[in-house]
Amino acid sequence: MKVWLLLGLLLVHEALEDVTGQHLPKNKRPKEPGENRIKPTNKKVKPKIPKIKDRDSADSTPKTQSIMMQVLDKGRFQKPAATLSLLAGQSVELRCKGSRIGWSYPAYLDTFKDSRISVKQNERYSQLTLVNSTSADTGEFSCWGQLCSGYICRKDEAKTGSTYIFFTEKGELFVPSPSYFDVVYLNSDRQAVVPCRVTVLSAKVTLHREFPAKEIPANGTDIVYDMKRGFVYLQPHSEHQGVVYCRAEAGGRSQISIKYQLLYVAVPSGPPSTTILASSNKVKSGDDVSVLCIVLGEPDVEVEFTWIFPGQKDERPVMIQDTWRLIHRGLGHTTRLSQSVITVEDFETIDAGYYICTAQNLQGQTTVATTVEFS
């Protein structure tokens, strides 16, 4: 019986080999239920670490976000390009996102309190509208968010927007000037600008000297041309002085700008150089006395004067007159003479004492004093 059983198992084994083409493993024991069927291995596998994309180093600093949009017809919006060219007469509507927005636009529109421009702050955005535009409106329009604490606000440098708009008008290649002649002061310690701005982006602009007549090259090292400002003298000196003008060419047309007188400034920049002088330092009762405060400075730098005098607390009536004029000191050097005069009539004992003058400009202030005694 055992022989027949062994013979049967042998026949089954050979039949399986014929079907699968494989030899069955010998001494293969059946796996217990739940036993791991994956053969353990000693092969070392390098663990995979997920790659993390490197962030741009600039991400650590706040990025500037453009908040300006241009409103087009039929309620469409688009971000304005760095420069726009529009025909004079067209209206412009710009919006900047934010609940507190500051604006800047060509000073020409502010100087004359032009009613063609309006700014309206809404809950979520501010809107600037310019109607009936002219070539004189050519310039930069910009906005910025404001960070406020109470009544004190500062500019949010991360939220700004700007565009420079050329308003093209027939017969006007240059942005119109209110005068036919202008003065540009040359200071050795800062740039000077001949403001030949054009209304056509593609215009070719050159700078010329009136006498001797010749073109002044904008070589990029001494003089450069900036379409938003004009011709910039990077390091002005006395040899640059004289009368100059600009010439523009575009679309087969040419035009000459107004003339500019370049004057070299002899006085260096800084707080006012101030002198005080009294008409008399000893005054009799009933006489008049004047005290003069004088400043010599740069031609284009304004000076403000303030006075402290003995009768001020008693509201003593006095007359104060401020004036200024330009002085040509030879070789093209020009200086601004600013002065303030305080006059006291019918001198009394309360008028005796110190007369103190303070002169102030953008660089600082200077205080001088003199005494006037009762004789």
Side-chain angles (χ1 to χ4, degrees):
M1 185 68 179
K2 290 182 181 180
V3 174
W4 288 107
L5 180 60
L6 290 174
L7 182 60
L9 290 174
L10 182 60
L11 292 174
V12 171
H13 182 82
E14 290 177 351
L16 288 175
E17 286 184 343
D18 292 339
V19 173
T20 62
Q22 297 179 349
H23 294 281
L24 293 178
K26 296 180 179 180
N27 301 326
K28 184 74 174 179
R29 68 177 179 84
K31 293 183 180 292
E32 298 293 336
E35 183 180 355
N36 186 8
R37 297 179 181 270
I38 300 175
K39 185 178 181 181
T41 178
N42 293 327
K43 183 179 179 180
K44 294 182 179 180
V45 179
K46 186 177 181 180
K48 292 185 178 181
I49 301 175
K51 294 183 178 180
I52 301 175
K53 294 184 178 180
D54 293 335
R55 292 185 178 180
D56 188 6
S57 58
D59 290 348
S60 59
T61 59
K63 294 182 178 179
T64 301
Q65 176 185 354
S66 178
I67 60 174
M68 179 179 285
M69 297 293 289
Q70 180 186 4
V71 182
L72 305 177
D73 57 345
K74 299 180 180 179
R76 295 184 297 118
F77 298 84
Q78 72 174 12
K79 285 189 178 294
T83 58
L84 296 176
S85 292
L86 303 176
L87 292 176
Q90 286 186 264
S91 297
V92 177
E93 184 179 339
L94 301 173
R95 292 186 182 182
C96 289
K97 185 179 179 181
S99 58
R100 290 188 177 182
I101 298 295
W103 286 93
S104 176
Y105 42 83
Y108 166 84
L109 293 167
D110 246 351
T111 303
F112 299 98
K113 304 297 180 183
D114 205 315
S115 60
R116 296 178 300 116
I117 190 169
S118 63
V119 175
K120 181 180 179 182
Q121 178 67 59
N122 296 289
E123 184 178 355
R124 295 184 179 181
Y125 65 90
S126 181
Q127 174 180 300
L128 179 147
T129 304
L130 174 65
V131 298
N132 299 325
S133 60
T134 69
S135 57
D137 302 327
T138 295
E140 187 164 32
F141 293 75
S142 60
C143 65
W144 57 89
Q146 296 190 93
L147 301 174
C148 300
S149 176
Y151 294 101
I152 301 176
C153 296
R154 60 184 178 86
K155 183 177 181 180
D156 186 352
E157 299 291 349
K159 295 181 179 180
T160 61
S162 68
T163 184
Y164 190 95
I165 305 179
F166 294 88
F167 290 102
T168 303
E169 189 171 350
K170 186 177 181 180
E172 292 286 356
L173 293 183
F174 286 105
V175 177
S177 173
S179 63
Y180 293 99
F181 194 85
D182 203 356
V183 177
V184 175
Y185 297 105
L186 305 176
N187 299 269
S188 60
D189 58 347
R190 63 175 179 267
Q191 297 179 355
V193 179
V194 178
C196 296
R197 297 187 299 123
V198 292
T199 62
V200 180
L201 177 60
S202 60
K204 178 184 177 182
V205 189
T206 52
L207 180 65
H208 300 261
R209 182 182 295 277
E210 186 177 48
F211 183 81
K214 66 174 183 178
E215 180 179 339
I216 304 173
N219 52 25
T221 56
D222 194 25
I223 302 174
V224 298
Y225 180 70
D226 183 342
M227 67 177 182
K228 296 181 180 181
R229 301 172 65 194
F231 286 95
V232 182
Y233 286 74
L234 301 177
Q235 295 180 331
H237 50 78
S238 59
E239 294 179 2
H240 289 142
Q241 61 194 351
V243 178
V244 300
Y245 62 90
C246 302
R247 180 185 179 90
E249 297 180 358
R253 295 181 296 127
S254 64
Q255 186 177 359
I256 294 176
S257 72
I258 68 170
K259 295 179 180 179
Y260 299 90
Q261 174 73 59
L262 307 187
L263 296 177
Y264 186 74
V265 178
V267 180
S269 60
S273 175
T274 312
T275 304
I276 193 168
L277 179 67
S279 59
S280 177
N281 292 103
K282 292 186 177 182
V283 184
K284 294 180 181 180
S285 176
D287 287 351
D288 298 343
V289 64
S290 296
V291 181
L292 177 64
C293 193
I294 304 172
V295 170
L296 293 177
E298 301 174 64
D300 56 344
V301 176
E302 295 184 0
V303 178
E304 293 184 357
F305 294 94
T306 55
W307 286 93
I308 298 176
F309 53 94
Q312 196 167 15
K313 291 183 179 180
D314 298 321
E315 298 183 355
R316 178 74 159 92
V318 298
M319 291 186 298
I320 299 177
Q321 184 179 16
D322 298 344
T323 59
W324 68 270
R325 61 190 176 93
L326 295 180
I327 301 176
H328 300 285
R329 305 175 65 184
L331 300 176
H333 293 189
T334 305
T335 301
R336 180 181 179 128
L337 172 64
S338 303
Q339 61 183 26
S340 180
V341 182
I342 181 171
T343 302
V344 180
E345 298 178 341
D346 298 326
F347 196 81
E348 302 177 10
T349 54
I350 62 171
D351 298 320
Y354 283 99
Y355 286 76
I356 304 171
C357 170
T358 299
Q360 182 172 354
N361 62 16
L362 295 177
Q363 282 76 39
Q365 66 180 30
T366 304
T367 300
V368 292
T370 189
T371 58
V372 177
E373 299 177 357
F374 185 80
S375 175

